Amino acid sequence: MKHLLPFSSLLLSFLLYGQKEVLEGRIIDEDGWPVPSVNIILKSDPTIGTVSNASGYFKLDLKKGSYDLILSHIQYGTHEFNDVPTGASEFIVTLKQNIRKLKDVTIEGNQQSDAIDPATKIDAKSAQNLPSAFGDFSKVLLTLPGVSGNNELSSAYNVRGGNFDENLIYVNYIPVYRPFLANAGRQEGLSFINPNLVNDISFYAGGWEAKYGDKLSSTLNIDYKEPEGLEGIMTIGLLGGSAYIGNKINENIKYLFGVRHRDSRYLLETLETDGEYLPVYTDVQGFLTFDLSKGTQNINRTKLNWLFSYGRNRYLTLPVSQSTEFGTAFQTLRVQTSFNGREELDYDTYQSGVNLSHRWSDRFLSRWIVSGVYTGERENYSVEGAYRICDIDNNPSSTSFNDCVTLRGVGTDYSYGRNKLQAGLLSAEWRNEVLLSDWSVLEAGAGYVHNVIDDQLNEYEFLDSAGFVTLQRSTFNALNLTTNQFTGYLQTTVFSKDSMHAVNAGIRANYLDYNDQLLLSPRLIYHFKPRWDKETSFRISIGQYSQPPFYRELRDLEGTIRENVQAQKSIHFIGAVERVFSMWKRPFLFTVEGYYKRLSDVTAYDIDNVRLRYFANNEARAFARGLDFRINGEFIQGTQSWFSIGFLRTKENIVEDNKGYVRRPTDQNVNLAFYFEDHLPNDPSVRAYVNSVIGSGFPLGPPNNFNARNIFSGDEYYRVDIGLSKAFELINHKYLKTFWLRLEVLNVLAADNTLSYSWIQDVNGTQLAIPNSLSARFLNFKISVDF
């Protein structure tokens, strides 16, 4: 009788509920990598569902039949699959990047670790459409919370209280660099990254994994395209032009070639300094992809990416005169300056790198990355400026209205420099990813960097003001630096079987022979994703981040070389919440991050335009704390927009000055930014793009006055750029697809933003801060054609 009871129960279940069968499947991306944490539910009964594991596998026990499934993922959106039968062979689902709804996030590489990746993702198309002075890629980063910058002429950016030397940039795992000698934004060329070639953007504002390198503030990872067919665009405008073409020669060879040319003379003519500007920058980039696999069933098993580039910058200025007014409504001062001299900056940069990846099996991937950079830079300037300061009559009813009425002082400023730099940087890295089980992945790697830098610095500046000649700075020395750096990392990512919990733990090692310092940096990320109706996730990151001195950090304020400079260190504490919600029947992503960074062995610095002048002594402690908010999605259907706001406080304490904590040079307390797209309701070919950045002032103080360092607050920075475009479809043309007309109004509000201040002394001994303004409103026109 006891043997009949189970049989009776089984028979009763069969009669009441029907026969049970398994509906199983596996979810992968375009490269064949599994996609974990995908929610799978029945359309007919949303209470029945499951979640894919780290292998992308899922299983449902259902009554025999066919079902409509709904698959949803924060990074791929929601997709519906109809009439999927039970009891059949494994159901394979391929999620493609170009069909996701929420374009904020893309997936590449190892999906197991990416599931808790703390990166902010940006749609590559938005980076191309964003209106800015030169179409520089880095300007899209300024629309993110925690990222700041107050110079539209420069590609530099600061992240959460750090400076622009504290940011890592990779293109397909290959490191890239900024120019070294440029001391003004107008001298720079474009950033290395060509927006036309970009496929995927991952930005880490802190708390990144151990597999990424050794900087204090941020990491930017860029993936270039691997085109599946002919694509390209040609653009020409008042400030230069660009072109790129991509295609595949066959199934095994793909190519991208891009060229950019920037001529900023028209924009620079809106600056307060009148003169002749001859700034020209040109770069050429190529990116080749070779599938070295044998056999059609092993696509991309062995793949080689080759990136190469050449950048050429020629900058020449012959300043003539400048007139600046500043002060209050009750007292206005005017400084008139006449110049004599010239300013030149030339540099040529060559870079090449290869990334060879091999998939030993479905569970084991290796990469070998080798890259090299050579740059030769030359900066020559000899400029004398004779100035006069006066009070002007601001009474409109006066006969001397807007004229100088009281002479405050006269003087001369003279700057001289003959600087030269040559640098060769060679790096090699080995990365490995192993899927240990369906719920865990192990990653490890090692790297080597060899740097050779020859820097000759010969410059001085003096000020003849109010009858006194003051030497502002003087540096005559040479730096011949050869360093070897060894790195390694080990990390693991473990998921719970319900995919609600994930932990990434790792450690990074770094040894620099110049200062004989070994650094160990443990890092931990915990991710929790409860099964709520509205997709929500929580993340906590704690880690040590260290930055060994490169070469700027070795020079003190007088330019003297310091030999005992140690690495700066920072501990990151980050808590984040992400929530996906629906508005207007479209998905949106809301993100909140709070952070605290505790810094030790800090090398304090001052900022001179876009040049950092370090103290080179490791004698400071510092902190940065803040709160960042961001919301993004399709505010207008078919477009991508986002709004960001960040709050920051960062201070430092130089131990021996007995002043306690003072504001750091990058202490911008509030930063509001947004990028917004729109189009005509009945004509999507007419589109509008708005890029806006509003930030509070950075601290400042008079030069060579240590007691007054950073005691004042500069003016706020606000800028709005607008782009309007009209597309014309070329239906009957064999190769050309779309013709674009684009009008951009740069600095549409005509904001008189201040980049920096020149300090001079009047006859009464009063120090006056003369603002150096940025570009005025400018109208740019572009013509583009797609093919």
Side-chain angles (χ1 to χ4, degrees):
M1 186 68 181
K2 63 180 180 179
H3 298 291
L4 294 177
L5 289 176
F7 176 79
S8 302
S9 300
L10 179 63
L11 179 61
L12 182 60
S13 299
F14 176 81
L15 294 174
L16 292 178
Y17 302 107
Q19 185 178 358
K20 292 281 186 178
E21 284 192 351
V22 173
L23 191 159
E24 59 182 347
R26 189 166 178 263
I27 304 171
I28 59 176
D29 70 353
E30 293 177 287
D31 291 329
W33 283 102
V35 182
S37 303
V38 177
N39 293 310
I40 303 101
I41 62 173
L42 299 186
K43 183 178 180 181
S44 58
D45 187 357
T47 62
I48 300 176
T50 187
V51 178
S52 63
N53 64 18
S55 298
Y57 177 79
F58 69 91
K59 182 177 72 171
L60 292 168
D61 293 320
L62 302 169
K63 292 187 296 182
K64 183 177 180 181
S66 297
Y67 295 86
D68 295 339
L69 301 182
I70 296 177
L71 276 64
S72 62
H73 192 279
I74 187 173
Q75 296 166 325
Y76 285 91
T78 302
H79 308 282
E80 182 175 331
F81 297 88
N82 298 318
D83 298 324
V84 181
T86 60
S89 58
E90 189 176 73
F91 177 53
I92 304 296
V93 179
T94 302
L95 296 182
K96 297 181 179 181
Q97 295 180 7
N98 61 357
I99 62 172
R100 64 189 185 278
K101 277 190 177 181
L102 188 58
K103 297 182 180 178
D104 181 62
V105 181
T106 58
I107 293 285
E108 191 276 341
N110 191 317
Q111 303 303 324
Q112 290 80 2
S113 58
D114 286 348
I116 64 168
D117 192 354
T120 298
K121 306 281 185 168
I122 307 171
D123 182 47
K125 197 67 177 177
S126 298
Q128 298 174 27
N129 293 331
L130 182 135
S132 64
F134 306 114
D136 196 292
F137 173 85
S138 64
K139 296 309 173 187
V140 73
L141 301 179
L142 298 181
T143 64
L144 302 179
V147 184
S148 63
N150 67 337
N151 189 350
E152 67 270 9
L153 304 178
S154 171
S155 61
Y157 57 91
N158 310 314
V159 179
R160 291 179 175 174
N163 65 53
F164 44 80
D165 270 357
E166 298 176 1
N167 304 317
L168 277 169
I169 302 177
Y170 294 100
V171 175
N172 289 81
Y173 293 97
I174 299 170
V176 298
Y177 302 88
R178 297 181 66 248
F180 294 95
L181 283 184
N183 60 30
R186 63 181 182 272
Q187 297 177 343
E188 291 185 22
L190 298 169
S191 67
F192 179 91
I193 300 165
N194 187 334
N196 290 327
L197 309 185
V198 172
N199 179 62
D200 182 58
I201 306 167
S202 300
F203 180 72
Y204 302 81
W208 59 89
E209 299 163 80
K211 64 181 177 181
Y212 296 121
D214 301 284
K215 292 286 188 177
L216 294 180
S217 293
S218 75
T219 296
L220 174 65
N221 294 338
I222 300 295
D223 285 335
Y224 274 3
K225 300 175 183 177
E226 297 179 7
E228 293 296 331
L230 178 63
E231 62 177 78
I233 187 170
M234 294 184 294
T235 302
I236 187 170
L238 297 180
L239 298 177
S242 65
Y244 94 95
I245 185 171
N247 202 352
K248 63 178 181 179
I249 298 175
N250 52 47
E251 293 299 326
N252 299 322
I253 303 176
K254 303 172 184 179
Y255 65 84
L256 276 177
F257 293 105
V259 59
R260 295 179 293 172
H261 179 76
R262 189 188 93 169
D263 187 339
S264 56
R265 71 183 72 183
Y266 296 120
L267 183 64
L268 296 183
E269 287 174 357
T270 70
L271 299 176
E272 289 182 336
T273 301
D274 296 325
E276 186 176 2
Y277 292 92
L278 299 171
V280 176
Y281 173 83
T282 304
D283 82 345
V284 179
Q285 294 186 23
F287 184 69
L288 305 180
T289 301
F290 302 92
D291 185 354
L292 305 180
S293 307
K294 295 181 180 180
T296 58
Q297 296 184 1
N298 294 314
I299 296 176
N300 286 333
R301 180 181 178 183
T302 303
K303 183 170 70 172
L304 176 68
N305 293 132
W306 178 23
L307 173 69
F308 53 90
S309 71
Y310 166 66
R312 180 181 187 272
N313 187 49
R314 298 293 182 268
Y315 175 85
L316 171 64
T317 298
L318 304 173
V320 175
S321 64
Q322 178 177 333
S323 180
T324 303
E325 294 183 4
F326 64 102
T328 66
F330 303 101
Q331 183 182 33
T332 305
L333 303 178
R334 177 182 295 157
V335 178
Q336 293 176 303
T337 308
S338 295
F339 295 101
N340 181 36
R342 61 193 289 136
E343 180 182 317
E344 295 178 85
L345 174 69
D346 302 340
Y347 68 74
D348 295 270
T349 301
Y350 306 82
Q351 175 152 338
S352 182
V354 294
N355 179 349
L356 175 65
S357 63
H358 179 72
R359 192 179 299 170
W360 303 94
S361 68
D362 290 342
R363 293 178 173 266
F364 185 16
L365 172 69
S366 293
R367 300 180 190 271
W368 296 267
I369 302 106
V370 179
S371 66
V373 180
Y374 171 79
T375 182
E377 304 183 18
R378 179 179 64 91
E379 180 186 38
N380 295 335
Y381 59 89
S382 177
V383 179
E384 182 178 13
Y387 64 87
R388 63 192 296 265
I389 313 170
C390 64
D391 290 282
I392 64 175
D393 187 354
N394 57 8
N395 183 3
S397 61
S398 172
T399 57
S400 60
F401 174 66
N402 206 36
D403 292 336
C404 284
V405 293
T406 304
L407 184 64
R408 283 289 196 102
V410 295
T412 301
D413 177 86
Y414 183 74
S415 299
Y416 172 90
R418 294 292 184 269
N419 303 324
K420 184 178 180 181
L421 179 141
Q422 290 182 309
L425 315 174
L426 177 66
S427 64
E429 191 172 14
W430 178 39
R431 293 175 175 266
N432 299 277
E433 303 170 9
V434 182
L435 185 63
L436 299 177
S437 69
D438 290 345
W439 307 104
S440 63
V441 61
L442 178 69
E443 299 178 66
Y448 169 71
V449 180
H450 179 71
N451 296 331
V452 178
I453 298 176
D454 182 7
D455 181 25
Q456 300 176 24
L457 201 60
N458 301 285
E459 60 183 20
Y460 64 88
E461 180 181 0
F462 67 81
L463 180 67
D464 182 356
S465 175
F468 297 94
V469 177
T470 304
L471 186 64
Q472 299 293 92
R473 69 175 186 272
S474 175
T475 304
F476 296 93
N477 59 40
L479 170 64
N480 296 298
L481 179 68
T482 299
T483 64
N484 295 286
Q485 189 173 2
F486 301 87
T487 62
Y489 70 89
L490 177 68
Q491 68 176 51
T492 184
T493 305
V494 179
F495 294 84
S496 63
K497 292 187 177 181
D498 58 7
S499 296
M500 294 175 59
H501 305 270
V503 175
N504 175 278
I507 188 168
R508 185 173 184 86
N510 185 305
Y511 174 76
L512 180 65
D513 65 353
Y514 178 80
N515 56 13
D516 193 28
Q517 186 178 22
L518 175 64
L519 302 167
L520 297 177
S521 302
R523 302 170 188 178
L524 178 69
I525 303 172
Y526 169 67
H527 182 271
F528 173 56
K529 183 180 178 182
R531 293 182 179 177
W532 294 352
D533 292 339
K534 293 184 178 179
E535 194 165 342
T536 306
S537 63
F538 302 86
R539 186 182 73 251
I540 297 175
S541 302
I542 303 173
Q544 172 85 38
Y545 298 84
S546 304
Q547 180 168 326
F550 184 43
Y551 107 95
R552 283 280 186 208
E553 297 95 319
L554 302 179
R555 291 187 182 275
D556 63 14
L557 294 176
E558 286 75 36
T560 305
I561 307 301
R562 298 290 187 92
E563 296 184 354
N564 297 318
V565 180
Q566 300 295 297
Q568 302 180 81
K569 305 179 186 67
S570 176
I571 301 178
H572 293 193
F573 302 90
I574 300 174
V577 179
E578 289 186 347
R579 188 175 181 88
V580 177
F581 65 96
S582 294
M583 188 164 55
W584 306 306
K585 297 182 179 180
R586 295 189 293 273
F588 287 81
L589 179 64
F590 178 66
T591 305
V592 181
E593 285 198 28
Y595 60 90
Y596 177 81
K597 298 196 292 186
R598 178 183 175 185
L599 294 93
S600 59
D601 294 330
V602 173
T603 296
Y605 59 88
D606 290 328
I607 299 179
D608 181 9
N609 203 309
V610 296
R611 177 177 288 185
L612 299 176
R613 299 190 179 277
Y614 287 93
F615 290 22
N617 53 19
N618 294 114
E619 293 181 354
R621 298 189 300 266
F623 71 85
R625 61 173 182 258
L627 197 60
D628 292 338
F629 301 86
R630 182 173 184 246
I631 181 173
N632 67 287
E634 295 186 6
F635 287 87
I636 304 298
Q637 190 168 6
T639 68
Q640 283 293 309
S641 304
W642 58 84
F643 294 81
S644 305
I645 186 170
F647 302 94
L648 166 71
R649 170 64 76 186
T650 180
K651 290 186 176 184
E652 63 188 7
N653 180 12
I654 300 177
V655 177
E656 295 184 356
D657 68 357
N658 298 318
K659 292 175 57 180
Y661 280 91
V662 299
R663 296 179 67 187
R664 303 193 80 195
T666 54
D667 183 33
Q668 187 179 49
N669 298 147
V670 181
N671 188 46
L672 172 67
F674 65 85
Y675 170 69
F676 189 79
E677 292 185 29
D678 198 359
H679 59 76
L680 292 182
N682 298 322
D683 187 2
S685 67
V686 179
R687 308 181 78 88
Y689 312 90
V690 182
N691 168 31
S692 178
V693 176
I694 303 170
S696 58
F698 290 98
L700 70 142
N704 304 319
N705 187 340
F706 196 76
N707 291 325
R709 180 173 176 264
N710 295 339
I711 64 172
F712 303 113
S713 183
D715 294 334
E716 67 279 357
Y717 177 88
Y718 63 99
R719 182 180 176 91
V720 179
D721 297 328
I722 295 179
L724 303 171
S725 66
K726 167 64 178 176
F728 301 89
E729 299 294 332
L730 305 177
I731 301 175
N732 297 322
H733 199 283
K734 184 176 181 180
Y735 297 106
L736 304 182
K737 296 180 180 179
T738 311
F739 177 75
W740 292 85
L741 295 176
R742 180 170 172 123
L743 180 68
E744 293 182 341
V745 185
L746 306 176
N747 192 7
V748 65
L749 300 180
D752 186 18
N753 290 312
T754 299
L755 171 62
S756 60
Y757 294 84
S758 299
W759 293 81
I760 59 178
Q761 186 172 298
D762 66 8
V763 293
N764 300 316
T766 304
Q767 287 268 12
L768 301 175
I770 313 301
N772 300 312
S773 298
L774 289 162
S775 59
R777 182 189 292 131
F778 184 80
L779 194 66
N780 190 22
F781 181 71
K782 294 181 180 179
I783 299 174
S784 301
V785 60
D786 296 354
F787 55 88

